[in-house]
Amino acid sequence: MDLVLSDDQKMIREEATRLLAERSTSERVREVVEAAQGVDAELWATIAGELGWCAMAIPEAFGGLGLGMTEQVLLMEAVGRRLAALPLWSTSCMAAPLIAAVGGDTAKAELLGRIAGGEAATVAWDIFAVDPLAHIGFDARASGDGYVIEGRAAQVSDLLAAAIVLVPAQLDGGLALFALPAGTGNSALLPTLDGTRQIGELTLDPVALPASARVDAAGFDAADADAAIASAMLGLAAEQIGAACGVMDVTLDYIASRVQFGRTIASFQAIKHRCARLEVDFSEARSLVYGAAAGFDATSPAERGMEIAAARALAGDLLYRASEEAIQLHGGVGFTWEYDPHLYFKRAQAASCLLGATHAHLGLIADALLGAEEAR
Amino acid sequence: MSDQTTDELRAEIRDWMASNLTGRFEVLRHRGNAGDGDALPDLRKEWERVLAGSRWTCPGWPHEWGGRGLSVAEQIVFQEEYSRAGGPGRMGHIGEGLVGPTLIAFGTQEQKERFLPGICSGTEFWCQGYSEPSAGSDLGNIRTRARQDPATGDWLVSGQKVWTSLAHLSDWIFVLARCEEGSVGRNGLIFLLMQLDQPGIEVQPIRQIGGGAEFNSVFFDGARASAANVVGKPGEGWKVAMALLSFERGISTLGQQMGFAQELELVCEIARENGAAKRPDLRQRIARAWTGLRAMRYLAMRVLSDDPSGETMRETLGYKYHWSNWHRDLGKLAMDVLGRDANVISDDPRHERLRQLFLFSRSDTIYGGSNEIQLNIIAEQGLGMPREPRGSLF
Ligand SMILES: Cc1cc2nc3c(=O)[nH]c(=O)nc-3n(C[C@H](O)[C@H](O)[C@H](O)COP(=O)(O)OP(=O)(O)OC[C@H]3O[C@@H](n4cnc5c(N)ncnc54)[C@H](O)[C@@H]3O)c2cc1C
């Protein structure tokens, strides 16, 4: 396995980083936060519509570029670094891989094609669980030519931004996947702690769906969706290390210019060492994310699951620590709305429990190493 | 690292280890690693000659000096399989990993011809004479003096080295000494190769935390280094000394990780046996250890990949800090998993191995640049933060 990025991969990263530095500035992120929609629609139109970022990981047969997990991770890292409020994670790391994993041929062709073309998508599953399909909030039954589906998902990422909303539901003792036609059910925008990721509540009370809304091939279970869950976790971890890098940059800039006791505060060893420790944690988390991405297709699902849980645990902890240190090392200004640390700090907290908090990820790894039953 | 050639190599080494690390060498398994360096020295020296007999010493050296010219990827395979089989800590490590590469890069033809064969054949063993009582983290503060004998051109050395690992089991020592009167810091140093068994050198073992004595004080009182045994120019010893250290942070790390993985597996095994695996806090810590080890593996692969763009340079600075603290934490985790069994010496060799791990791993964050020095380096070289001011006390 080669962990050196290719020139093409570096170019993708550089382009994404450059564009987002220009377009997702601190001022712009604040506008998005104030507008309370959780999405920067203009920026999305550029990156998804014009630049085709969502097409990258989609297979060529479905109108995509067929690039791999490494490219995906590099994009997510760049997005996280600027806290860009884009439904990219929901679309490219959750919805598209879920369709690719369990979708039927027609659905794949149609939905993946639309995503490649720049339409946002999301999945209404249990976004707080390490196993988001374990406790599905929707029940479906056959009815006439179609289905009736009922239930609720309390928090769905990018729900209102998504043109394609995927709903996994219990059907005849198994799982089925539905794509809601536009305007189906009740979608409510929820105000959020961080303001940079849209969250909505979806209620289907009950609604009738045509047969064509069902998009899975022939029922599925959580194991069939493993690659999609793994991709969602890894994408989130990449976004978190990106955000950690962003907030570390903010901190390093500030402490290099703030003078106390006749010297920059960056010259105090207590501060140097705290930054250096973050840097070590950063290299660790980033190596794990890149390593897991490079081996994504070759590693066995069991080992891949452990690696990605590990990446997610390190990345989540790193981002939280980097952003709390940012506030502390900024002193009083770190407590203000005007300076940026709080934007990252809120994102850190909000993201920390998505797809399971650290202890749950470590729990998965412990189960694999020590046997699950031992815990009871 | 798995393509066809490395797979074949892997199988070859595995077979070789299986058929050679047996019989009377069996007791060497997992022995002699950092902190346990004085274990079974005579047998381990013999083992070096068995390795040498099949040309498994110095596999990364060029053919012309007795190596196999293995690529980085191939050397990693060797290290991994060696450790996987429980291969003992290498008595020849300092010669093979530090002195050899330094001489190949900076030595004279005469020095190479004199010293490289002894290292390759497992017949001459080396130790490292850098640290002194007043020159630890601040290595530039070296006071051991080298004065040139006008009659012979030889160098006469007086002073003291300390913490010199394996000096009592070595034949040669490389010494960093001050050769210019009145010079300070990195200037005016000389890099000398010296025979230990000579009048004017006295080696005194120092008993360490685990009870054994792997390191020593080495006293010099007019000891002699022949004029031919200066590496680099007199006065430019610092440059050679630093280049030597850069060879240290290399390939052996992946073999070392294989050892770490075995230690972690041992901790898991004992946890499953004694019920510690049921404790939620220990489960989380074991999972964290696994996480850290996996991150270390990918970090090392990035470190060793030598990306020509140098973009991983900044991140690689943290490698030593990461592994040493990981290992130290593992030592504590091992004790907590052993619980009451950690407190009494028993015949279970696995318990003893973990007890020693607990004690020896305390040194990981001290030697080779302590934690605090690593953090200074990361902050200054990696993050571009201001340098530490130097004081004026001596
Ligand atoms: C097991 C073992 C084997 C060794 N083998 C060898 C060998 O073979 N050859 C050899 O030459 N040496 C060897 N050493 C010596 C080793 O390199 C030194 O111990 C190390 O460089 C630290 O120096 P010191 O012990 O003098 O500690 P000091 O430098 O006195 O450090 C004491 C404490 O102060 C901290 N400190 C020092 N400077 C700073 C600073 N600028 N900022 C913040 N904190 C600071 C250190 O981090 C440490 O915590 C060995 C050491 C050990 C433990």
Side-chain angles (χ1 to χ4, degrees):
Chain A
M1 190 196 299
D2 191 356
L3 291 185
V4 181
L5 298 180
S6 70
D7 289 344
D8 285 347
Q9 288 168 335
K10 283 184 190 153
M11 205 177 70
I12 288 174
R13 184 179 60 185
E14 270 153 36
E15 276 303 299
T17 306
R18 189 192 53 73
L19 177 94
L20 293 170
E22 228 165 69
R23 295 282 300 275
S24 190
T25 55
S26 169
E27 297 72 44
R28 181 64 189 159
V29 171
R30 286 151 186 282
E31 283 169 19
V32 171
V33 171
E34 301 282 0
Q37 296 297 303
V39 168
D40 184 341
E42 271 173 50
L43 183 56
W44 177 252
T46 306
I47 65 117
E50 293 166 29
L51 300 176
W53 285 13
C54 300
M56 280 194 201
I58 288 180
E60 284 171 288
F62 302 115
L65 298 175
L67 299 177
M69 193 51 73
T70 297
E71 285 80 359
Q72 184 90 287
V73 151
L74 294 174
L75 286 183
M76 287 307 301
E77 192 182 353
V79 166
R81 188 158 171 193
R82 290 282 160 184
L83 298 180
L86 296 170
L88 187 68
W89 178 56
S90 305
T91 304
S92 291
C93 303
M94 292 189 345
L98 186 59
I99 297 167
V102 307
D105 291 341
T106 339
K108 272 192 204 165
E110 193 220 318
L111 298 176
L112 292 179
R114 283 170 62 193
I115 290 175
E119 290 188 40
T122 191
V123 184
W125 54 14
D126 181 0
I127 205 177
F128 297 105
V130 281
D131 182 356
L133 287 170
H135 306 284
I136 283 300
F138 297 94
D139 286 305
R141 62 190 154 79
S143 163
D145 287 345
Y147 299 89
V148 169
I149 178 168
E150 172 171 22
R152 190 177 84 101
Q155 295 193 27
V156 180
S157 56
D158 302 309
L159 177 63
L160 288 96
I164 300 166
V165 177
L166 299 173
V167 181
Q170 304 284 350
L171 175 72
D172 299 334
L175 287 174
L177 189 67
F178 296 91
L180 295 187
T184 313
N186 184 11
S187 299
L189 182 68
L190 303 177
T192 61
L193 172 69
D194 72 319
T196 50
R197 189 188 327 269
Q198 188 187 68
I199 302 286
E201 177 182 7
L202 176 67
T203 314
L204 303 178
D205 193 19
V207 299
L209 296 177
S212 62
R214 182 164 175 197
V215 296
D216 57 296
F220 66 99
D221 59 22
D224 299 324
D226 184 74
I229 297 170
S231 142
M233 266 190 205
L234 188 57
L236 185 65
E239 184 194 283
Q240 288 171 315
I241 58 165
C245 178
V247 76
M248 283 162 65
D249 288 347
V250 167
T251 306
L252 289 170
D253 273 355
Y254 181 78
I255 63 180
S257 57
R258 170 71 177 163
V259 172
Q260 287 289 280
F261 299 97
R263 46 199 273 208
T264 62
I265 58 173
S267 71
F268 295 115
Q269 193 180 67
I271 290 184
K272 285 166 69 178
H273 282 192
R274 287 162 71 169
C275 294
R277 267 201 299 272
L278 282 177
E279 172 70 9
V280 173
D281 291 352
F282 175 73
S283 336
E284 227 185 292
R286 190 190 220 186
S287 297
L288 202 37
V289 168
Y290 285 10
F296 195 87
D297 297 318
T299 315
S300 72
E303 189 169 347
R304 180 176 72 189
M306 290 171 79
E307 269 187 6
I308 290 178
R312 177 65 187 77
L314 288 188
D317 288 359
L318 166 71
L319 174 54
Y320 186 79
R321 283 215 322 105
S323 53
E324 71 174 352
E325 286 287 55
I327 295 178
Q328 181 64 24
L329 298 184
H330 274 72
V333 302
F335 190 67
T336 63
W337 187 268
E338 184 189 346
Y339 281 74
D340 285 348
H342 72 100
L343 298 170
Y344 290 93
F345 183 63
K346 291 170 186 166
R347 164 67 71 87
Q349 176 56 37
S352 69
C353 49
L354 296 181
L355 295 177
T358 298
H359 73 90
H361 296 288
L362 295 178
L364 284 182
I365 296 167
D367 288 352
L369 292 173
L370 303 167
E373 71 284 5
E374 297 279 353
R376 305 211 176 97
Chain B
M1 306 294 148
S2 65
D3 57 43
Q4 208 190 333
T5 48
T6 54
D7 283 350
E8 278 168 24
L9 180 68
R10 202 176 277 287
E12 182 185 348
I13 300 159
R14 205 175 279 193
D15 288 349
W16 190 88
M17 289 297 286
S19 44
N20 287 276
L21 191 55
T22 52
R24 63 206 182 90
F25 292 118
E26 187 88 44
V27 291
L28 292 181
R29 272 176 208 271
H30 302 296
R31 295 305 305 274
N33 290 306
D36 184 33
D38 57 339
L40 304 162
D42 294 334
L43 193 59
R44 272 164 62 219
K45 285 185 175 176
E46 265 185 66
W47 169 247
E48 290 286 325
R49 288 188 280 277
V50 174
L51 280 168
S54 299
R55 296 184 46 244
W56 284 123
T57 51
C58 312
W61 288 16
H63 288 282
E64 107 177 88
W65 298 113
R68 289 172 179 249
L70 295 192
S71 69
V72 169
E74 290 165 334
Q75 291 175 65
I76 290 170
V77 168
F78 175 77
Q79 293 289 348
E80 288 186 342
E81 292 308 318
Y82 184 83
S83 301
R84 198 197 305 274
R90 294 283 314 280
M91 292 290 284
H93 164 71
I94 294 177
E96 171 172 338
L98 302 180
V99 180
T102 305
L103 290 182
I104 290 171
F106 299 100
T108 61
Q109 186 67 17
E110 190 190 344
Q111 287 167 348
K112 294 178 197 177
E113 284 169 8
R114 166 62 189 84
F115 294 111
L116 297 180
I119 295 172
C120 238
S121 60
T123 49
E124 278 181 346
F125 295 94
W126 285 81
C127 61
Q128 172 174 12
Y130 279 9
S131 304
E132 298 181 6
S134 63
S137 301
D138 185 12
L139 185 57
N141 202 27
I142 281 194
R143 294 181 183 182
T144 294
R145 299 245 304 276
R147 179 173 63 77
Q148 197 161 25
D149 174 354
T152 57
D154 291 350
W155 294 84
L156 301 175
V157 177
S158 296
Q160 183 194 344
K161 294 291 173 183
V162 73
W163 319 129
T164 319
S165 297
L166 302 181
H168 60 307
L169 301 170
S170 298
D171 307 292
W172 288 80
I173 181 171
F174 54 90
V175 172
L176 194 56
R178 198 160 287 290
C179 63
E180 290 171 14
E181 197 80 39
S183 65
V184 288
R186 301 163 177 201
N187 301 315
L189 298 173
I190 189 169
F191 191 103
L192 297 167
L193 310 176
M194 301 181 72
Q195 194 148 23
L196 277 162
D197 184 12
Q198 62 163 303
I201 293 190
E202 196 195 322
V203 176
Q204 274 178 12
I206 306 171
R207 194 166 187 207
Q208 20 187 97
I209 193 168
E214 166 184 342
F215 58 31
N216 306 268
S217 288
V218 183
F219 298 92
F220 298 82
D221 182 9
R224 189 171 290 266
S226 116
N229 291 342
V230 181
V231 184
K233 292 203 187 76
E236 294 181 3
W238 184 262
K239 199 177 79 185
V240 180
M242 291 302 112
L244 177 137
L245 290 183
S246 72
F247 296 118
E248 192 165 35
R249 312 180 215 292
I251 318 289
S252 58
T253 56
L254 280 165
Q256 168 180 288
Q257 284 187 30
M258 193 61 73
F260 291 175
Q262 289 171 340
E263 287 167 353
L264 176 58
E265 179 42 47
L266 182 52
V267 170
C268 290
E269 182 182 304
I270 288 174
R272 285 188 295 257
E273 279 172 24
N274 73 3
K278 295 198 182 87
R279 274 182 42 192
D281 59 329
L282 293 175
R283 290 174 71 81
Q284 293 267 310
R285 284 169 62 196
I286 288 172
R288 251 191 212 288
W290 188 91
T291 296
L293 185 61
R294 190 51 67 104
M296 196 189 303
R297 172 157 137 197
Y298 288 133
L299 187 53
M301 283 166 70
R302 296 178 72 214
V303 173
L304 292 172
S305 67
D306 255 345
D307 184 358
S309 74
E311 76 157 19
T312 48
M313 253 314 286
R314 172 172 152 182
E315 291 177 33
T316 61
L317 293 173
Y319 187 72
K320 158 81 195 331
Y321 186 87
H322 176 54
W323 76 252
S324 57
N325 287 278
W326 181 91
H327 200 222
R328 206 175 69 172
D329 290 348
L330 183 71
K332 172 65 173 139
L333 175 60
M335 290 300 94
D336 292 346
V337 163
L338 275 177
R340 64 179 76 177
D341 289 340
N343 279 6
V344 283
I345 311 298
S346 67
D347 331 320
D348 189 333
R350 298 175 312 163
H351 292 190
E352 187 54 21
R353 197 171 159 209
L354 295 184
R355 255 190 303 275
Q356 295 297 336
L357 163 66
F358 172 61
L359 296 175
F360 294 152
S361 62
R362 303 314 298 188
S363 70
D364 290 335
T365 54
I366 298 173
Y367 67 74
S370 70
N371 262 359
E372 290 71 23
I373 297 303
Q374 297 298 331
L375 292 175
N376 283 347
I377 292 172
I378 296 163
E380 291 167 14
Q381 294 174 26
L383 303 178
M385 298 174 82
R387 291 189 167 277
E388 290 297 302
R390 206 188 152 83
S392 54
L393 299 175
F394 282 94

